[in-house]
Amino acid sequence: MIRNVISVLDGAAGSCGKAKVVGELATDSTINVGAAITNCMPNAGHTFVSHNGKSLVFRNIPVSIVNPKTEIFIGPGSAIDMDVFEKEYKMAESYLGERKIYVHEMVPLITDRHKEYERLHIKSGSTFKGCGAVSKEKIMRDPNLEFFKTYKMAVKCSNDEWLDRVHSHLDKSGEFVVLEGAQGCDLSLNFSGNYPYVTSRNVSTMQLMADSGIPGEALLGTIMVMRPFPIRISNVTKSGDFIYTGNYGKGDELTWSQVNVSSILGSYPFKGDLEIYATDTFHNKEYILELMLSVDEIYLKQLFGKDASYYIDHPEKVSFINACELERLVYKGDETYTSELLDLPPIERFYEDKGEQYIPDLSEQTTVTKMERRVFDLDISKLKNNCRVNHPYGLYLNFFQHLDYDFHHYKGMMEDVYFNKYVREYLRWLESETSCEIISLGTGAINEERIAKKKSLVRDIVA
């Protein structure tokens, strides 16, 4: 059997930039992507940013639709919310052209009752998009469950037709079949070690293969996408309710302020790192109170939990690290802002347009819920386990600018780049611990913003 299947898999807890990697495969003229398959559900968004900066968010449709020659499939491991799907289809329609999207006949439809069921029953972290509830009904053969029919050029595909079409691509030695993963290995139902703070399904290359009706022998390899500082979703819902979403193994929870400052100083975030640069303004409780009163209530809940009102009454109790977070949140997105709390060493590269005390904000919001993500130090044991289960041939380290902001938006080859000692040691440590080669460093959201080790991200097809 020809081995031409490439799996793109998230090696952490999601949001590692799978869509960026898939997009780079799909738009590379030297890589013939004949077919692309997702088994995604609408609880996660996958963002592709084109060369001209246009952002496209996919939740069911494969990102590879941006390649006009690729045949597009949505597999039976998916579930579709028609309200979401219709909007996504409209966004992607110009890329689809005259092609069809082949949707397996066993793709169920998510309705409001599935979302409401999750809001009532899930207490361990969820986006409440109905994905777990609809999967439950499918497993129980609930007679009320409906399945996808057809919508415009997205056509229902019988099981026989699905296998015929997919396997016709497996028989072609000159093209690749890309499996576009969803969620992340550290959210996997059985092997993440994070239960119950997980998603409603298993996340692995073998699961992607099984959900697509493809035998294991067809796998050419897995690209595992990761980030230096993994994320989890917020402990506060959009409605302001508290719901614990889990930690990241033994990795300490960090703040975005720590990541931001470390990225520009060329250091690694650690406990007490920001206190080194504290100014006397921290002792000005009126300033701290002013920050607290300027921050949206939902952010106060994220920072202080149920005790937010206590800290408003007692601003002198606010820790320095939380004061830095308050200041960051107040001036979020303001490139003219310079910190009153931190007196950093001169950073010459910012002098011309932003001032020597400017701190870029690398914080992120989830694609679906728009809530600010929590950020953690990497627990290497979790990454090692994910490599054991999936045996990737390469690690794609996205968000490399979080380690060194000098490389934000940089494009080039590793052999032409000089990294500081801290970055070199980090990369050596990562490869040594995982026994896996780093094949690329993603330096930004835009397609092909990366530092590549080789010209091609894929292996040669094995006939």
Side-chain angles (χ1 to χ4, degrees), residues 386-451:
N386 295 337
C387 288
R388 286 173 178 170
V389 172
N390 296 283
H391 195 60
Y393 70 80
L395 297 177
Y396 192 118
L397 178 59
N398 255 331
F399 299 92
F400 182 64
Q401 68 273 20
H402 290 188
L403 291 172
D404 192 335
Y405 194 76
D406 277 349
F407 292 102
H408 197 199
H409 303 307
Y410 189 93
K411 297 180 183 179
M413 301 297 293
M414 286 192 200
E415 61 187 22
D416 301 322
V417 176
Y418 175 78
F419 300 121
N420 66 36
K421 182 180 179 182
Y422 140 67
V423 169
R424 293 198 305 271
E425 289 179 350
Y426 178 89
L427 298 179
R428 280 197 296 266
W429 168 75
L430 204 57
E431 290 187 325
S432 174
E433 289 290 327
T434 61
S435 301
C436 190
E437 180 183 27
I438 296 172
I439 59 174
S440 194
L441 308 171
T443 59
I446 295 176
N447 192 39
E448 294 187 2
E449 286 186 338
R450 70 174 187 262
I451 304 171

Side-chain angles (χ1 to χ4, degrees), residues 11-14 123-125 184-188 192-199 229-236 243-255 302 373-383 386:
K123 305 300 179 185
S124 58
C185 293
D186 290 318
L187 299 176
S188 187
S192 66
N194 287 331
Y195 188 88
Y197 310 108
V198 295
T199 191
F229 305 111
I231 56 86
R232 297 299 302 257
I233 62 174
S234 172
N235 284 325
V236 183
I243 182 166
Y244 182 60
T245 61
N247 285 322
Y248 191 77
K250 298 176 182 177
D252 292 332
E253 184 159 4
L254 303 171
T255 66
Q302 285 180 293
R373 291 166 170 149
R374 300 159 64 206
V375 63
F376 293 85
D377 193 6
L378 178 67
D379 181 346
I380 192 64
S381 65
K382 296 183 71 59
L383 182 62
N386 295 337

Side-chain angles (χ1 to χ4, degrees), residues 282-324:
F282 174 59
H283 303 292
N284 182 345
K285 300 311 172 187
E286 289 75 18
Y287 180 66
I288 305 302
L289 179 59
E290 180 186 340
L291 293 175
M292 294 191 76
L293 295 177
S294 302
V295 171
D296 289 343
E297 182 183 1
I298 202 153
Y299 286 133
L300 290 179
K301 287 184 175 182
Q302 285 180 293
L303 272 181
F304 301 107
K306 297 177 181 179
D307 296 327
S309 59
Y310 170 82
Y311 285 98
I312 290 176
D313 294 333
H314 300 280
E316 71 279 0
K317 299 292 186 180
V318 175
S319 67
F320 184 74
I321 192 71
N322 279 341
C324 291

